[in-house]
Amino acid sequence: MWRQQLPYRLKEGALIALGALCLYVWMALLTYDPNDPGWTHTSNVAQVQNAAGRAGAWSADILFMALGYFAYLFPLLLGVKTLQVFRARHEPWQWSGWLFSWRLIGLVFLVLSGAALAYIHFPAGNSMPASSGGALGESIGQLAENALNVQGSTLLLIALFLFGLTIFTDLSWFKVMDLTGKITLDLIELIQSLANRWWSARTERKQLRIQLREVDERVAQVAAPVARDRRDQVKAKERIIEREDSLSKHMSAREGRPAPIITPPSAPAVPEQSKRVQKEKQVPLFVDSAIEGTLPPISLLDAAEKVQKQFSPESLEAMSRLVEIKLKEFGVEVVVESVHPGPVITRFEIQPAAGVKVSRISNLAKDLARSMAVISVRVVEVIPGKTTVGIEIPNEDRQMVRFSEVLSSPEYDEAKSPVTLALGHDIGGKPVITDLAKMPHLLVAGTTGSGKSVGVNAMILSILFKSTPEEARLIMIDPKMLELSIYEGIPHLLCPVVTDMKEAANSLRWSVAEMERRYKLMSKMGVRNLAGFNRKVKDAIEAGTPIPDPLYRRESMEDEAPLLKPLPTIVVIVDEFADMMMIVGKKVEELIARIAQKARAAGIHLILATQRPSVDVITGLIKANIPTRMAFQVSSKIDSRTILDQGGAEQLLGHGDMLYLPPGTGLPIRVHGAFVSDDEVHRVVEAWKLRGTPDYIEEILAGVEESGSGFEGSSEGGDDSEDDPLYDEAVRFVTESRRASISAVQRKLKIGYNRAARMIESMENAGVVTSMGTNGSREVIAPSPVRD
């Protein structure tokens, strides 16, 4: 350890020594006295006048004799070198002989050319022991003058001086030019702003004098005929003074109008980190990732950007005045009372004038956005606890909300639920953390590219960072086969990621059966919810008296009932349930409604996501049983009303901007969703794969099919369908039209749906058509019949 610290301590010691030497030499040069003893002359004075003592007198005499006036710059060169050592104090010690020689050459060029220039252009003083350039400057200066005259030698010596300065100090002249230009431009801009302020103040005073003069003239014209005596003239003058005062007060009131209350962003410059993050910093990542039974570290996620642009009070005040002016142009008198800047939007809380309805301001949202040249403006009609109306305007520079920033917050760390969801930040920059168990189901909808899939990934990762497989299990249904397939292989899955809609219906049926089984268990145990059941089972296990399964049916007297264990929370995630409803049909809607109605106490929760927020997908039955909604950007107010039962989602900004409608309230909360990249998801999935393997339940996907679900067995009635008298005609129609559609066969032959479906399945078994694809269509394999 001391070998690592020794070079740093030596460098600090060298820094102190160089600084002291620089001050000592400068003190010796500034207090030089020719009467003091030196190298060029002798002196018998008893008291040396030099502040550096006899050594300082000798050193100054030698420097002045060798370099002349340039000796005053020698301590400055030492100071530059001291500054360079100070800047590189944290870097490891590296000795380079070539670099040292190069710096020494630069110092030689710098000293010799500087001394020669001092000899050529400065006369020698009486106090100098030699010429103005010293002995070295005199010899080199005379040689240069004889060869190149004064002008040529000056040009050459200046070039050598700059060359030596560049090598010795590692100075970049381009950086010097850039810095000089920046300082010049800043000075010009400052002068222009001062001049503009002075000119505007002068113009305003001039206009005020003109208005006062006009008032003077009008009052004098009115008062002159009436002022017949001295008393009337005095009263007229008093009226003039009163009007002047009232006009001045009006002007000062217009200028000094009180500024709105500006609320600083809630998120501090250095966000507060949770105890979990602080604890994970003390353990290396590769050690933590190899331990089974632990949660993955939050450091797997990308860190948040540290630089966050803040708004100045002047810019916010100017924006407040602009909002007032623009609304006044549309005939609405308002006053901005407070401003709440955030990472993505800024909310202006306005107080409308008496008699102004909120609907007038809401109808002006698009006009206000157009007049202020922004993409959209959202009007918050009701702010709880306040009489003001909120106007949310997007910021010019939008900050990205990183998922690690939300997970590192104490709010997420202190949440106890295994299905805690970290959504993002609110408009003020505070983290939004919610509990899926209290929702108890969530509907997510938004148009393509609005950030819906990223939001679903953030919810899944929130559960993976919070819960072990013993606490939470997942069933993922991914009709698109792209979004959720990345999670294949994590130990939280109850079954492989479902991409076949036939298996999706089976998984929902299994969820309903599991819900019924859990209700029976809780009824036998005398508890009301899953938390009470797990608490009772854990207490019994800790007491050494585990509880046998009361629902177990013995096949013989020797069979023993298995012991109960704590049940995990089950989350069913459907990425695009519109496609599932289109293929499977109404049966899925009934299963979803049944789970949504009863599964809360059983610990089974739904997260349904869709990019098609239409009434045939988000039906009234689903909306009635899923009160918690999350709307990303949509294209129209109709879609927003379909999701939230109110408008507002059409005015969002996209890229994760959402309206979150919590359960039990009708006022949505605007949330800026946290961004999760695909690389972050891959890292978390790999970390969980190191911690365990999935324990799949085969009964989930191999469920019993129900009649009327659209998935009748292909083997049932296959032979009978070929014996159907209309089968040959159906095959001829399919091969000629190249359309393997049940509805087309049904319309062509004027038969029932089930009969046409059996014929199509018989064609599939016979190799006439292919099996149903993911989009519900089939291709015709058999060739067209040959016409005679």
Side-chain angles (χ1 to χ4, degrees):
M1 189 66 183
W2 63 272
R3 292 184 178 180
Q4 297 178 355
Q5 298 293 332
L6 182 60
Y8 296 105
R9 302 290 85 81
L10 291 176
K11 188 173 289 187
E12 291 177 1
L15 175 64
I16 296 173
L18 284 174
L21 180 61
C22 176
L23 294 176
Y24 180 81
V25 173
W26 218 328
M27 183 172 59
L29 293 174
L30 293 176
T31 59
Y32 173 74
D33 192 345
N35 297 323
D36 289 340
W39 188 71
T40 58
H41 59 277
T42 58
S43 176
N44 295 325
V45 296
Q47 183 67 29
V48 178
Q49 300 298 322
N50 198 303
R54 290 183 178 273
W58 274 72
S59 301
D61 187 68
I62 293 173
L63 288 174
F64 280 133
M65 186 274 299
L67 303 177
Y69 286 124
F70 191 78
Y72 286 113
L73 297 180
F74 192 76
L76 182 60
L77 299 179
L78 290 179
V80 171
K81 187 55 64 177
T82 303
L83 181 60
Q84 291 179 348
V85 173
F86 175 74
R87 287 182 175 178
R89 65 188 183 278
H90 296 300
E91 297 178 3
W93 182 275
Q94 292 181 356
W95 168 258
S96 175
W98 183 88
L99 184 61
F100 177 78
S101 303
W102 188 244
R103 295 280 189 267
L104 185 61
I105 291 173
L107 179 62
V108 170
F109 275 111
L110 181 64
V111 171
L112 294 181
S113 58
L117 285 172
Y119 167 76
I120 294 175
H121 294 283
F122 296 100
N126 296 328
S127 61
M128 283 288 171
S131 63
S132 58
L136 293 176
E138 183 176 358
S139 58
I140 296 176
Q142 289 179 356
L143 181 63
E145 283 185 348
N146 294 334
L148 302 172
N149 289 333
V150 175
Q151 293 79 7
S153 59
T154 300
L155 181 61
L156 177 63
L157 292 174
I158 289 176
L160 292 176
F161 181 83
L162 296 178
F163 176 71
L165 181 64
T166 303
I167 296 175
F168 179 70
T169 62
D170 196 17
L171 178 65
S172 174
W173 293 103
F174 291 102
K175 290 183 179 179
V176 172
M177 288 187 288
D178 291 340
L179 181 61
T180 305
K182 182 179 181 302
I183 294 174
T184 304
L185 292 176
D186 291 343
L187 288 175
I188 294 174
E189 186 177 356
L190 178 62
I191 294 172
Q192 287 180 349
S193 63
L194 293 176
N196 291 335
R197 289 181 184 177
W198 175 82
W199 182 259
S200 60
R202 180 176 178 273
T203 305
E204 194 165 359
R205 287 194 300 270
K206 187 176 180 180
Q207 292 177 354
L208 179 61
R209 285 196 296 269
I210 293 174
Q211 292 177 358
L212 291 175
R213 191 179 299 113
E214 292 177 355
V215 171
D216 249 343
E217 293 176 355
R218 288 197 300 268
V219 174
Q221 291 175 1
V222 175
V226 183
R228 297 181 179 179
D229 55 359
R230 191 179 185 87
R231 196 176 345 179
D232 293 338
Q233 294 177 1
V234 172
K235 290 181 179 181
K237 289 182 179 180
E238 290 177 355
R239 285 197 297 269
I240 292 174
I241 295 174
E242 288 177 1
R243 294 198 178 186
E244 290 178 357
D245 291 341
S246 63
L247 184 58
S248 300
K249 288 179 181 179
H250 175 72
M251 294 296 294
S252 62
R254 185 175 62 84
E255 294 174 0
R257 182 175 183 176
I261 300 174
I262 298 174
T263 304
S266 303
V270 181
E272 182 183 0
Q273 293 184 341
S274 62
K275 295 180 181 178
R276 175 180 174 181
V277 177
Q278 297 174 1
K279 187 184 299 183
E280 289 174 355
K281 288 182 178 179
Q282 302 174 5
V283 181
L285 180 61
F286 65 90
V287 175
D288 189 27
S289 61
I291 299 176
E292 295 185 1
T294 61
L295 296 174
I298 298 178
S299 55
L300 288 173
L301 303 174
D302 295 337
E305 289 82 359
K306 296 182 180 179
V307 180
Q308 294 184 353
K309 186 176 180 181
Q310 301 293 336
F311 297 94
S312 63
E314 292 79 9
S315 62
L316 294 176
E317 185 177 355
M319 197 71 176
S320 305
R321 298 289 173 254
L322 181 61
V323 171
E324 294 177 354
I325 293 172
K326 294 301 180 181
L327 286 174
K328 189 175 181 180
E329 291 177 357
F330 295 110
V332 179
E333 292 281 348
V334 298
V335 175
V336 177
E337 289 194 350
S338 61
V339 183
H340 303 274
V344 177
I345 64 168
T346 300
R347 174 183 283 184
F348 297 87
E349 294 187 0
I350 62 174
Q351 184 67 52
V356 176
K357 294 183 178 180
V358 181
S359 58
R360 289 186 60 192
I361 304 176
S362 300
N363 295 332
L364 292 174
K366 292 185 178 180
D367 295 323
L368 191 60
R370 175 191 54 80
S371 62
M372 300 188 69
V374 294
I375 185 172
S376 66
V377 171
R378 178 172 175 262
V379 178
V380 183
E381 298 179 350
V382 178
I383 300 177
K386 297 182 179 180
T387 61
T388 55
V389 179
I391 294 182
E392 296 175 350
I393 299 176
N395 300 334
E396 293 183 2
D397 298 322
R398 179 175 178 178
Q399 300 175 9
M400 180 181 293
V401 179
R402 287 285 181 182
F403 190 54
S404 59
E405 190 176 356
V406 185
L407 293 191
S408 302
S409 62
E411 291 84 354
Y412 177 79
D413 191 22
E414 295 170 0
K416 302 301 181 183
S417 174
V419 285
T420 300
L421 303 183
L423 302 182
H425 283 175
D426 60 6
I427 61 171
K430 292 183 179 179
V432 179
I433 310 297
T434 185
D435 184 8
L436 181 61
K438 295 181 180 180
M439 293 184 183
H441 311 288
L442 177 61
L443 174 63
V444 183
T447 186
T448 304
S450 61
K452 174 179 57 63
S453 298
V454 176
V456 173
N457 283 330
M459 298 176 203
I460 297 174
L461 292 189
S462 301
I463 300 175
L464 296 183
F465 275 106
K466 195 69 176 178
S467 308
T468 60
E470 291 76 19
E471 297 172 340
R473 301 299 293 271
L474 304 176
I475 296 177
M476 296 186 180
I477 301 175
D478 185 12
K480 293 187 290 188
M481 297 182 290
L482 295 175
E483 299 296 340
L484 302 181
S485 299
I486 189 175
Y487 297 99
E488 189 71 64
I490 61 175
H492 292 75
L493 291 179
L494 280 170
C495 63
V497 178
V498 181
T499 56
D500 187 359
M501 292 304 99
K502 177 181 178 181
E503 296 177 347
N506 292 337
S507 63
L508 292 177
R509 294 189 192 99
W510 179 90
S511 301
V512 174
E514 176 67 12
M515 175 187 68
E516 298 292 346
R517 187 185 74 87
R518 290 190 176 193
Y519 269 113
K520 292 178 182 179
L521 270 178
M522 290 186 290
S523 176
K524 294 287 185 180
M525 296 290 293
V527 294
R528 300 186 60 182
N529 52 34
L530 184 66
F533 174 83
N534 289 337
R535 191 181 308 111
K536 194 168 184 178
V537 172
K538 289 179 182 177
D539 293 342
I541 294 175
E542 292 175 358
T545 57
I547 304 172
D549 189 355
L551 301 180
Y552 181 74
R553 296 181 179 179
R554 298 182 180 182
E555 297 180 357
S556 64
M557 297 300 295
E558 298 178 356
D559 291 346
E560 294 183 0
L563 301 178
L564 292 178
K565 296 181 181 179
L567 295 175
T569 303
I570 298 177
V571 181
V572 182
I573 304 168
V574 185
D575 181 63
E576 183 54 72
F577 75 97
D579 188 58
M580 183 173 64
M581 290 185 62
M582 182 185 299
I583 297 175
V584 181
K586 288 291 183 180
K587 193 63 181 177
V588 168
E589 182 183 0
E590 297 174 4
L591 293 173
I592 291 175
R594 192 173 179 192
I595 294 173
Q597 286 171 356
K598 295 179 58 178
R600 175 175 186 173
I604 301 177
H605 308 285
L606 291 172
I607 297 179
L608 305 178
T610 180
Q611 63 181 3
R612 213 179 103 197
S614 56
V615 292
D616 58 338
V617 175
I618 307 176
T619 61
L621 185 61
I622 292 178
K623 290 173 63 176
N625 292 286
I626 304 181
T628 307
R629 325 285 176 60
M630 187 180 295
F632 289 83
Q633 185 186 36
V634 294
S635 57
S636 65
K637 186 179 291 186
I638 299 175
D639 293 340
S640 178
R641 291 186 180 275
T642 303
I643 305 168
L644 301 174
D645 294 328
Q646 56 185 296
E650 75 280 358
Q651 297 167 346
L652 297 177
L653 304 177
H655 302 286
D657 195 14
M658 71 176 87
L659 288 178
Y660 167 61
L661 186 65
T665 179
L667 299 176
I669 301 173
R670 188 165 188 176
V671 180
H672 310 307
F675 176 74
V676 181
S677 64
D678 292 339
D679 292 336
E680 294 177 277
V681 178
H682 280 291
R683 291 197 292 266
V684 177
V685 169
E686 292 300 325
W688 268 117
K689 288 181 180 179
L690 294 176
R691 286 166 166 77
T693 56
D695 183 14
Y696 293 145
I697 300 176
E698 297 180 358
E699 291 82 2
I700 296 178
L701 302 183
V704 179
E705 297 176 359
E706 300 178 12
S707 61
S709 62
F711 289 111
E712 290 79 10
S714 60
S715 62
E716 297 181 358
D719 298 333
D720 296 337
S721 299
E722 291 187 4
D723 295 336
D724 194 293
L726 296 178
Y727 178 74
D728 295 335
E729 186 176 351
V731 172
R732 185 178 184 85
F733 167 75
V734 169
T735 53
E736 286 181 352
S737 62
R738 316 304 294 177
R739 294 173 57 194
S741 172
I742 298 175
S743 58
V745 174
Q746 181 183 0
R747 290 192 300 270
K748 176 66 176 177
L749 303 181
K750 296 181 176 60
I751 59 177
Y753 181 87
N754 293 334
R755 188 178 179 185
R758 286 194 295 269
M759 290 182 180
I760 293 294
E761 290 174 357
S762 298
M763 295 180 197
E764 177 184 347
N765 295 332
V768 178
V769 297
T770 62
S771 58
M772 184 183 297
T774 57
N775 58 354
S777 62
R778 303 172 187 264
E779 295 182 3
V780 181
I781 302 176
S784 302
V786 179
R787 297 182 180 274
D788 297 333

